[in-house]
Amino acid sequence: MKSEFTLKLDRCKGCGICVAFCPKQVLALDTLGKVYVAHPENCIACGQCELRCPDYAIFVDKLKQEAADKK
Amino acid sequence: MLERSYEKFFRQNRLPHLWCPGCGNGIVMKAIVQAIEKKSGWTQDNTIIVSGIGCSSRASGYMDFDTLHTAHGRAIPFATGIKLARPDLNVVVITGDGDCTAIGGNHFIHGCRRNVDLTVILFNNNIYGMTGGQASPMTPLGKKATTAPYGSIDRPFDACKLAEAAGATYVARSTAFHVQHLVKMIEDGLDNAGFSFIEALVQCPTAYGRRNKIGEPAKMMAWMRDNAVMKNVWDKLPDDKKIGDKFPIGLFYKAETETYDEAYHHVIEMAGGAAK
């Protein structure tokens, strides 16, 4: 995993914008319509989801190599 | 998680905001605070956010500056008052397509004409969202609204052309899809001394998209991606390619002329100074 996700689910309204614009299909909506990280291993930390989230509910940080190795 | 520095500009206890799932207003609100953050010397204490009435204008309630949520269409007059009384303050106006071009249409053109040193950001969702989807002066031809069930026959305003013709000294357009571009357009508008106008296209999935069967929010944003053409490309495009839904984004107009608060200051000096 090269990236770290922070989800503020109380803000997520399940609009699906992050899911649609993720170039690697990392994200999905769960049964309750909130976002979850379905395929973290595919994430390239491009930040498209965070960029366009209208509710400031998803944050992606690129992990430094050492931190990524530890995981 | 690394702290996002722009979050300090939001009233955290007011989030999540009340906008519908997928509404583009949140994207533009974040773009505004990110643009303000980039401006050195602009702080929460010397920046004022003024808004009118409508979905867009709810933004002032979430932004942690000195904010003013004013009467419908009247954000620009309130902002003009603030700027004349306290020219040292930075005044940003948030308005919507109905608020700015219908109810506040006159205030808008006269604000432009006077070149008041304001930055006006118009959230254009093509409809009156808050009141249930009535057609606004910026609803495109043929699109449905509760007041236009057969499709709107009223020719829409191009607010950017209107602002330029009325005398604004900075006119630009961007969309909720082109976030970094939008931040840049707003930032340059904040830099401009004089009336700066930025039209930000936002998707309204609830009142506009659903009624016009455009689909979910991401589809509306993909439409912006597919139809927005950067100004420099647009200018080279032959007329037969400027068809369908294609529209230009970018900086349309920039000029330098005396601002209203400078002119007003001269009057104060000639009249013997303001009462202290």
Side-chain angles (χ1 to χ4, degrees):
Chain A
M1 186 172 172
K2 291 167 282 184
S3 44
E4 182 187 33
F5 288 91
T6 307
L7 302 177
K8 295 191 177 176
L9 288 179
D10 53 335
R11 292 184 182 178
C12 177
K13 293 171 188 162
C15 66
I17 289 175
C18 57
V19 178
F21 288 110
C22 175
K24 294 288 180 186
Q25 289 81 47
V26 172
L27 304 168
L29 297 182
D30 64 18
T31 326
L32 297 176
K34 300 246 180 186
V35 67
Y36 75 100
V37 185
H39 301 287
E41 67 282 3
N42 293 340
C43 178
I44 53 170
C46 66
Q48 296 282 313
C49 51
E50 177 177 341
L51 188 69
R52 299 201 176 84
C53 174
D55 295 287
Y56 330 125
I58 185 164
F59 302 87
V60 186
D61 288 305
K62 208 175 269 185
L63 277 186
K64 289 215 178 89
Q65 200 51 52
E66 312 88 75
D69 290 342
K70 272 183 203 160
K71 285 226 168 184
Chain B
M1 163 190 152
L2 287 170
E3 194 54 41
R4 298 301 190 266
S5 51
Y6 60 80
E7 289 255 358
K8 69 174 178 287
F9 295 113
F10 293 137
R11 292 176 180 149
Q12 295 293 333
N13 60 336
R14 297 277 173 192
L15 293 176
H17 50 62
L18 57 56
W19 292 314
C20 301
C23 170
N25 288 357
I27 300 173
V28 183
M29 184 167 84
K30 187 171 110 180
I32 295 172
V33 297
Q34 286 183 311
I36 290 174
E37 192 184 15
K38 288 184 181 181
K39 291 280 292 173
S40 64
W42 287 47
T43 67
Q44 281 159 298
D45 296 323
N46 67 15
T47 305
I48 314 287
I49 311 287
V50 186
S51 66
I53 295 292
C55 291
S56 63
S57 298
R58 294 299 295 254
S60 60
Y62 303 112
M63 299 169 77
D64 199 4
F65 298 87
D66 286 328
T67 60
L68 206 61
H69 194 172
T70 71
H72 206 356
R74 274 63 174 162
I76 292 170
F78 279 87
T80 304
I82 294 167
K83 193 67 194 174
L84 293 186
R86 288 284 306 274
D88 56 309
L89 298 177
N90 308 303
V91 187
V92 177
V93 175
I94 295 176
T95 180
D97 49 314
D99 191 56
C100 185
T101 63
I103 302 95
N106 249 302
H107 298 305
F108 174 45
I109 57 175
H110 290 283
C112 294
R113 175 173 74 90
R114 289 169 168 155
N115 195 32
V116 191
D117 187 12
L118 307 173
T119 301
V120 177
I121 298 137
L122 186 158
F123 292 33
N124 177 15
N125 63 357
N126 303 116
I127 201 112
Y128 283 96
M130 183 179 279
T131 48
Q134 294 81 0
S136 87
M138 294 181 74
T139 301
L141 270 181
K143 293 297 180 193
K144 288 182 178 173
T146 49
T147 50
Y150 297 99
S152 175
I153 56 166
D154 298 30
R155 294 167 67 209
F157 273 135
D158 181 328
C160 289
K161 286 183 178 168
L162 185 62
E164 182 182 334
T169 49
Y170 176 95
V171 180
R173 180 191 287 134
S174 191
T175 82
F177 177 81
H178 303 81
V179 185
Q180 291 110 328
H181 179 259
L182 176 62
V183 174
K184 174 81 178 125
M185 290 296 106
I186 297 172
E187 199 190 336
D188 290 353
L190 299 175
D191 277 331
N192 177 54
F195 197 99
S196 310
F197 177 75
I198 300 108
E199 177 189 344
L201 254 81
V202 294
Q203 70 279 12
C204 170
T206 306
Y208 182 75
R210 198 171 44 172
R211 189 161 286 110
N212 285 291
K213 304 199 168 29
I214 304 173
E216 58 210 56
K219 277 197 184 137
M220 299 181 79
M221 290 178 80
W223 177 90
M224 295 175 192
R225 177 192 67 200
D226 298 339
N227 288 292
V229 181
M230 288 294 168
K231 171 77 165 60
N232 52 350
V233 178
W234 177 265
D235 287 343
K236 289 178 199 145
L237 217 58
D239 282 344
D240 60 332
K241 292 273 171 63
K242 295 178 184 174
I243 45 166
D245 291 335
K246 296 268 183 224
F247 63 94
I249 60 170
L251 171 65
F252 297 137
Y253 182 73
K254 194 165 175 4
E256 267 183 49
T257 182
E258 188 179 44
T259 66
Y260 194 60
D261 37 305
E262 285 164 0
Y264 186 64
H265 184 71
H266 294 320
V267 174
I268 292 174
E269 280 189 335
M270 282 190 285
K276 289 277 185 268

